[in-house]
Amino acid sequence: MQALGVREQDIEEQFVRASGAGGQKVNKASTCVVLHHRPTGIRVKCQRERSQALNRFFARRILLDKIETKLRGARSAQEQEIARIRRQKRKRSRRARLKLLADKRHQAEKKSLRAAVRPDDD
């Protein structure tokens, strides 16, 4: 937190009831942690664990990661994964398709030359 210049006074912390697995414990106790960093406007919600203390720790880590990516301008791993999938789904360019067809023709030519030699019936 010190390295990024984040002060504890800038973080607003709330505890709300979590949802999902956990049974009565989840329904009774407010274990979900919501952190709001006022200067950047980043809001983080964490309900990973059944323990409020662990969720506070994880929420702070997530918040600091988000602040770091915003300040440093670095792309997060999640954004990189989305960009990679987008590149995979993109249509091939005309040049790439033509090159692919040329490679297929070349491969077919090589295979046709491997065929067994048949004797002539002259």
Side-chain angles (χ1 to χ4, degrees):
M1 287 177 73
Q2 291 173 349
L4 293 173
V6 177
R7 299 180 317 185
E8 194 65 40
Q9 298 88 354
D10 295 339
I11 299 175
E12 184 180 312
E13 188 174 47
Q14 283 182 306
F15 302 103
V16 293
R17 289 207 182 109
S19 61
Q24 288 181 338
K25 176 75 172 169
V26 166
N27 298 332
K28 289 179 182 178
S30 298
T31 56
C32 181
V33 178
V34 179
L35 296 179
H36 179 231
H37 187 244
R38 286 187 221 108
T40 57
I42 296 175
R43 190 177 297 268
V44 171
K45 185 176 182 181
C46 182
Q47 60 181 24
R48 191 182 302 175
E49 301 292 328
R50 285 173 58 181
S51 161
Q52 190 181 74
L54 278 174
N55 283 334
R56 287 181 75 198
F57 172 74
F58 286 130
R60 277 180 170 64
R61 278 186 34 193
I62 294 168
L63 180 70
L64 291 175
D65 288 343
K66 287 192 175 196
I67 291 172
E68 184 178 19
T69 53
K70 188 172 184 174
L71 292 177
R72 302 258 161 82
R75 291 180 11 160
S76 68
Q78 188 176 14
E79 288 173 355
Q80 288 176 352
E81 181 68 17
I82 290 169
R84 184 184 66 80
I85 291 170
R86 197 172 284 147
R87 280 193 305 273
Q88 283 179 344
K89 290 184 176 183
R90 190 169 48 198
K91 280 189 173 182
R92 285 196 174 103
S93 68
R94 180 163 192 229
R95 189 174 185 178
R97 286 193 309 252
L98 291 174
K99 186 177 185 305
L100 191 74
L101 284 173
D103 287 345
K104 280 186 176 184
R105 282 190 205 104
H106 179 70
Q107 194 69 21
E109 181 67 27
K110 283 197 303 188
K111 282 191 170 189
S112 69
L113 294 175
R114 291 184 202 153
V117 178
R118 294 184 199 147
D120 289 334
D121 290 332
D122 291 334

